[in-house]
Amino acid sequence: DAGVTQSPTHLIKTRGQQVTLRCSPKSGHDTVSWYQQALGQGPQFIFQYYEEEERQRGNFPDRFSGHQFPNYSSELNVNALLLGDSALYLCASSLGSSKGETQYFGPGTRLLVL
Amino acid sequence: GEDVEQSLFLSVREGDSSVINCTYTDSSSTYLYWYKQEPGAGLQLLTYIFSNMDMKQDQRLTVLLNKKDKHLSLRIADTQTGDSAIYFCAEAGNQGGKLIFGQGTELSVKP
C-alpha cells in the first residue's frame, strides 16, 4: 500500500523564480492538503483540494496556487519566490475533505530560496 | 481564534514515562491529533481522539483530554531512544479539513 509521495525531495531556487512541487496521495484517498513548515515551527495550512477544486485556503498570498488532477494527484506552485518561502512543504492526503478526516503526510519537499 | 500551544522541550531518561502537553482554543467538538516528526522527515500520525472522549490508549501511548480546560496530553510509557523526535499536537479547524498545529515539543531521551 503506497503512502503519500512527494517530488522532488530537495530544491534550490533563486528569488523571483517559480517552483512546482508534486504530490501523489495515499492509495484510495481523494483529498490533498498542502502545508508549509518553516524551520523550528509547526506546519501551516496552505490549501486543500477535493474534486479538483480548492475547498479551503489558509493565510497565504495568491503567489501560492495549486491544482488537483483527475487521478487525485496535486501540484503546488509558488511564483515570484521570496527568501521567506524557504521551508519544508508537506503534502497530506485523506479520504474526503470533512472535518475530522485523518490526514496522512508525505516526506516533504525541502525548498531553499537564495 | 484558533490556536494550539505546546511546551518546546522535554528531556527524559530511557525507561521513564514522557508526558507531552498541549492546549487548544476551539470550543466546538473537534478531533485532536498527535504526530511525530523525526529529523529530516515528514509527519507520522501516532494517534487521535475525538472531543467526546476522555482517554484513548494504544500500546505505549495514552492520550488524555480535559475538555473543560482544553488540555490534551500524550503519555509515552517506557520511553526509548527511538522515541526522540518532535511531537506535534494538532486540532481540526472549524471548517473543512484544515489542521492547526502547535509549535512542536522536542523530546530528548537520554540513555
Side-chain angles (χ1 to χ4, degrees):
Chain A
D1 180 21
V4 180
T5 60
Q6 293 186 241
S7 64
T9 55
H10 295 80
L11 205 48
I12 300 175
K13 293 285 189 179
T14 56
R15 278 182 300 174
Q17 285 190 310
Q18 179 264 343
V19 68
T20 297
L21 310 181
R22 295 177 177 82
C23 171
S24 291
K26 184 176 163 69
S27 179
H29 284 182
D30 58 7
T31 302
V32 172
S33 303
W34 287 93
Y35 293 81
Q36 180 195 66
Q37 185 181 19
L39 199 61
Q41 302 295 316
Q44 298 288 317
F45 176 77
I46 303 175
F47 42 52
Q48 183 181 78
Y49 277 84
Y50 172 67
E51 291 186 336
E52 301 180 50
E53 290 189 6
E54 184 183 291
R55 296 291 176 165
Q56 196 179 10
R57 189 179 181 93
N59 293 326
F60 279 81
D62 292 345
R63 298 187 297 110
F64 289 77
S65 63
H67 188 77
Q68 186 178 36
F69 299 93
N71 67 353
Y72 308 120
S73 67
S74 176
E75 288 182 348
L76 164 65
N77 301 291
V78 186
N79 294 322
L81 284 166
L82 303 174
L83 296 180
D85 295 331
S86 294
L88 179 67
Y89 288 84
L90 294 163
C91 167
S93 75
S94 57
L95 181 59
S97 61
S98 301
K99 180 175 178 175
E101 294 296 341
T102 303
Q103 295 185 24
Y104 295 86
F105 283 80
T109 294
R110 192 164 295 281
L111 172 65
L112 177 61
V113 182
L114 301 177
Chain B
E2 302 166 325
D3 195 18
V4 176
E5 293 191 359
Q6 301 177 237
S7 52
L8 296 182
F9 299 101
L10 177 65
S11 180
V12 300
R13 292 218 171 267
E14 193 172 20
D16 287 350
S17 291
S18 307
V19 179
I20 302 171
N21 296 300
C22 168
T23 57
Y24 63 99
T25 57
D26 184 10
S27 59
S28 62
S29 62
T30 190
Y31 290 84
L32 296 147
Y33 302 85
W34 285 104
Y35 285 88
K36 175 183 179 182
Q37 187 175 39
E38 297 186 55
L43 300 180
Q44 174 194 351
L45 176 67
L46 291 177
T47 188
Y48 65 92
I49 190 169
F50 186 57
S51 55
N52 67 354
M53 299 168 65
D54 297 325
M55 186 183 86
K56 182 177 181 181
Q57 188 155 2
D58 184 1
Q59 299 183 330
R60 291 191 298 123
L61 305 178
T62 303
V63 179
L64 294 177
L65 177 60
N66 181 329
K67 191 176 177 182
K68 173 176 168 289
D69 295 336
K70 298 190 183 67
H71 182 267
L72 182 74
S73 67
L74 174 69
R75 178 178 181 269
I76 306 172
D78 187 25
T79 313
Q80 303 297 306
T81 54
D83 295 323
S84 293
I86 300 177
Y87 290 80
F88 289 96
C89 168
E91 173 186 25
N94 281 328
Q95 300 172 354
K98 165 182 163 182
L99 291 179
I100 301 145
F101 284 86
Q103 272 190 290
T105 299
E106 183 176 349
L107 174 63
S108 173
V109 182
K110 299 186 187 312

